[in-house]
Amino acid sequence: MTSLSGSRDKKLADILRAGPIVPVITLERVDDAVPLARALVAGGLRLLEITLRTPAAADSAAAIIQEVPEAIVGIGTVLTPRDLERAQALGARYALSPGATPALLEAAAGSEMPFIPGIATASELMGALEHGFQTVKFFPAVASGGIPALKALAGPFPQARFCPTGGIDEKNARDWLTLPNVVAIGGSWVCQTSDIRAKAWNDITAKAERAVMSIKA
Ligand SMILES: O=C(O)C(=O)C[C@H](O)[C@H](O)COP(=O)(O)O
């Protein structure tokens, strides 16, 4: 293990301790960023993923980093080495991707930024492991075979750790987290676009609280 990957892995382990639920956030308006982050933190969710899917994403992430210190901000939908650089320049603590190209894996392997590549197959997982990434996003988790698929991957890849995302909600969150190789789960169910558009911050806090309750016994 190089010292770069060692320090990156340690940072990621520290970050994931604030989980295990990662709300996947898509912001259309920068003004919604800080109230949304505060609503999630108030509901017990500190580990955030701001997707780079909208023109408002970067400024939204910057506003949360600046104004909501309790939030641990990651940048999602990182598709290219350039996106990874943007995430780092914003001061995000970590970055995630729904997939992984060789160029993105190479850029991430040479960076200090903790990075969680996305995989949906054994071969994609092998690509991530080859580049030193043992913690991966399993995306789209339910559509790619759900819990049986992840249990099957545990056989040949006992060293891999997963953050399943895609199709997870408060009904199945706990089932995923009972798998020993699942370190976090991600999903948009706690911060739906309709609730953000309606500025339903109290409802979002209530959904976050319910999500936290749903993974307890
Ligand atoms: O954009 C990314 O970086 C992704 O990895 C995709 C998201 O994590 C999923 O789209 C969330 O899925 P849902 O919870 O089913 O809405």
Side-chain angles (χ1 to χ4, degrees):
M1 184 190 286
T2 67
S3 61
L4 189 58
S5 70
S7 85
R8 212 172 41 222
D9 289 351
K10 191 182 168 308
K11 280 193 235 168
L12 185 61
D14 288 345
I15 288 165
L16 290 174
R17 263 194 279 283
I21 299 173
V22 184
V24 176
I25 300 168
T26 300
L27 281 154
E28 297 172 321
R29 289 163 34 94
V30 178
D31 287 353
D32 291 335
V34 167
L36 173 66
R38 289 197 176 124
L40 291 167
V41 168
L45 302 182
R46 297 176 56 215
L47 194 52
L48 312 183
E49 173 180 342
I50 314 289
T51 62
L52 278 187
R53 294 190 200 180
T54 57
D59 288 347
S60 296
I64 296 169
I65 290 166
Q66 173 100 27
E67 294 183 45
V68 191
E70 307 90 333
I72 297 173
V73 176
I75 298 293
T77 326
V78 166
L79 306 182
T80 63
R82 172 87 190 96
D83 290 341
L84 192 66
E85 279 168 25
R86 281 173 79 197
Q88 207 157 11
L90 282 166
R93 298 274 302 276
Y94 66 110
L96 311 93
S97 179
T101 64
L104 183 56
L105 286 169
E106 260 155 53
S111 159
E112 282 176 18
M113 173 81 119
F115 176 64
I116 304 179
I119 68 98
T121 66
S123 294
E124 290 164 7
L125 177 53
M126 286 157 66
L129 292 170
E130 251 171 38
H131 286 82
F133 296 98
Q134 295 201 343
T135 301
V136 297
K137 185 181 253 212
F138 178 45
F139 175 79
V142 171
S144 303
I147 288 174
L150 207 46
K151 281 188 176 161
L153 286 170
F157 304 107
Q159 73 277 45
R161 294 290 168 269
F162 297 91
C163 177
T165 309
I168 298 186
D169 59 26
E170 74 185 39
K171 288 192 281 302
N172 60 17
R174 190 159 172 269
D175 297 339
W176 284 98
L177 283 165
T178 58
L179 302 186
N181 55 358
V182 169
V183 290
I185 53 169
S188 63
W189 84 97
V190 284
C191 46
Q192 302 272 290
T193 298
S194 52
D195 284 339
I196 300 172
R197 283 189 185 147
K199 301 188 188 302
W201 312 130
N202 291 340
D203 291 348
I204 289 173
T205 296
K207 279 188 189 168
E209 283 169 349
R210 275 215 309 277
V212 172
M213 287 303 294
S214 77
I215 61 168
K216 295 200 170 135

